[in-house]
Amino acid sequence: MSFDRHLADIAREFPQWTIWRSDAGRWWATRHQPLSDAQRDAGCAMTIDADDPDDLRERLREQESRAGDPAAATGDPERRAGPAPS
């Protein structure tokens, strides 16, 4: 799968994050919204990185689980989709 396809797929799965790949080949994600005190206390991070797309997905699921996202435990992107389209 191409790197552009990986980016698009991960971005679709995790709409509350901006996903990118650095010139050095690292995969990154940063949240769109600031963390609450409770999220910081739970060990959430604003930005995470990984060696490859699969590792980034795993780290994103872990972060969303820590943040209290019920879809994170199942990996269900439909439950994670954010606001309903108008």
Side-chain angles (χ1 to χ4, degrees):
M1 185 181 303
S2 76
F3 126 85
D4 288 335
R5 178 68 185 263
H6 280 295
L7 281 173
D9 288 349
I10 296 170
R12 194 171 23 262
E13 287 177 50
F14 300 93
Q16 302 304 323
W17 296 78
T18 297
I19 312 298
W20 76 97
R21 185 172 168 223
S22 71
D23 291 342
R26 299 278 306 158
W27 290 78
W28 294 84
T30 193
R31 294 178 190 272
H32 293 181
Q33 301 296 320
L35 293 170
S36 68
D37 290 339
Q39 289 170 324
R40 277 192 293 282
D41 290 346
C44 294
M46 275 299 295
T47 302
I48 59 173
D49 68 318
D51 292 328
D52 57 57
D54 291 332
D55 190 29
L56 184 63
R57 277 189 176 95
E58 183 178 323
R59 291 173 187 233
L60 285 163
R61 286 186 192 109
E62 176 188 337
Q63 284 291 307
E64 291 197 350
S65 179
R66 287 175 183 251
D69 182 347
T74 64
D76 181 358
E78 293 297 317
R79 292 186 58 200
R80 190 186 296 121
S86 44

